[in-house]
Amino acid sequence: MTSADREIRRIHSEINNMIRCSYLEQTLTRPEIPSFFVQVLYYMMRSCSQPKERIHLYCVATCLVKMGLDIHETVSNEKEIGGQGMRSRQLSVLAGDYLSSLFYEKLADEGEVKGITRLSKAVCDVNEAKMGLYAMGGQREVSWSAYIQLAMRVQGGLLAALARFFCEEEARDSWEPLCGYLMLLHSWEAVSPERMSPWGSVPMNRVRSLAAETLQLARNIRPLEVRHDLLELIQNYVSSPLKEALVREG
């Protein structure tokens, strides 16, 4: 096990300890830690020469924000029948708020006021992009370029905001778009093709184009050790049809 593996495991352990809430676990399914998200953030902060403990702090705190947002996405907007459905929906909202509040506590305890501001603005931007996607979902015709840009903001907005926060200009030029590409490709990998968008499967030429841009940006990452780990992560976390696109373009 490498030092990076050990540190990522330590990050997971702290997140698990922080989200351990007896009432939450009794009423809702224990939320899953988004491992790919954590690892991309970890490599990005290493690439931007951040201290080890600050990397750990932001991986934990930002993951809590991500998990809170993900729980809110599970809340149904359908009319619930009966009190149990309404109660479940309310608990999901409260659970998402609870996890997000832990991020404030974590960063505030370390005096990371600017980080709180940056992540709070990122959450606003993510939610704004979500509203844009919901509005597009009612349209019969789709602009794939517009859809992909909004989807990248939703999936990678938290990471891109931290790339702007931590990285110098040269590294930022690679990491800011790369975060969006990686998280969007990963989100597509997790669903069947017909669920990749409100209009069904995303055209394969679009997927291949994103794959090519992703690999090009990943190959620009410094230092070499981080680049190697990042490329290995990409290969480990994508499968057909995305893996075929990545291999073809790689």
Side-chain angles (χ1 to χ4, degrees):
M1 181 182 294
T2 66
S3 59
D5 292 333
R6 287 191 293 271
E7 181 55 29
I8 290 170
R9 180 169 292 187
R10 190 166 73 94
I11 291 166
H12 278 237
S13 178
E14 181 168 351
I15 294 169
N16 272 320
N17 289 335
M18 291 190 70
I19 66 175
R20 185 171 292 120
C21 171
S22 59
Y23 185 72
L24 182 64
E25 292 179 338
Q26 289 171 13
T27 55
L28 294 172
T29 302
R30 186 178 179 85
E32 182 177 348
I33 295 174
S35 181
F36 184 78
F37 178 92
V38 171
Q39 290 182 74
V40 172
L41 177 54
Y42 176 80
Y43 293 135
M44 183 266 284
M45 293 189 69
R46 276 185 60 199
S47 175
C48 296
S49 303
Q50 293 300 306
K52 178 180 178 180
E53 288 309 313
R54 201 178 194 204
I55 294 174
H56 181 95
L57 172 66
Y58 272 87
C59 283
V60 172
T62 311
C63 186
L64 291 169
V65 180
K66 166 71 170 169
M67 293 170 73
L69 290 172
D70 288 348
I71 287 180
H72 283 162
E73 280 298 295
T74 68
V75 178
S76 172
N77 58 5
E78 300 295 329
K79 185 177 180 180
E80 301 287 357
I81 301 175
Q84 184 61 34
M86 180 61 70
R87 179 174 178 273
S88 177
R89 181 157 59 184
Q90 290 171 338
L91 284 171
S92 294
V93 172
L94 290 171
D97 291 345
Y98 171 73
L99 291 180
S100 295
S101 70
L102 293 176
F103 124 78
Y104 288 103
E105 179 183 26
K106 185 71 176 172
L107 291 186
D109 284 347
E110 299 298 327
E112 291 279 355
V113 177
K114 290 183 179 179
I116 292 173
T117 300
R118 187 61 62 101
L119 280 173
S120 297
K121 289 181 178 178
V123 170
C124 291
D125 184 69
V126 167
N127 286 330
E128 180 182 297
K130 286 181 181 178
M131 289 188 287
L133 285 180
Y134 292 146
M136 285 187 70
Q139 300 174 5
R140 292 185 177 181
E141 296 184 2
V142 56
S143 165
W144 287 112
S145 295
Y147 170 75
I148 287 171
Q149 288 301 313
L150 285 173
M152 284 174 54
R153 286 171 59 191
V154 170
Q155 298 296 334
L158 296 177
L159 298 181
L162 291 182
R164 292 190 294 270
F165 185 48
F166 288 120
C167 298
E168 299 294 336
E169 183 176 358
E170 183 177 356
R172 184 170 62 244
D173 288 345
S174 293
W175 275 110
E176 186 176 350
L178 181 57
C179 288
Y181 293 150
L182 285 172
M183 294 310 302
L184 181 57
L185 287 169
H186 183 249
S187 72
W188 284 345
E189 188 274 334
V191 299
S192 57
E194 64 271 14
R195 296 181 60 197
M196 291 172 72
S197 81
W199 305 274
S201 178
V202 176
M204 186 51 64
N205 66 313
R206 297 282 181 173
V207 177
R208 290 180 182 137
S209 177
L210 281 178
E213 292 182 56
T214 299
L215 287 174
Q216 182 60 48
L217 289 168
R219 290 179 180 130
N220 292 334
I221 296 302
R222 303 287 190 275
L224 181 60
E225 179 185 359
V226 174
R227 185 200 310 164
H228 175 271
D229 289 346
L230 180 65
L231 289 171
E232 184 175 341
L233 177 69
I234 293 171
Q235 291 296 330
N236 288 340
Y237 269 84
V238 295
S239 60
S240 293
L242 299 183
K243 196 164 196 176
E244 295 174 6
L246 286 168
V247 171
R248 187 176 302 176
E249 298 295 340

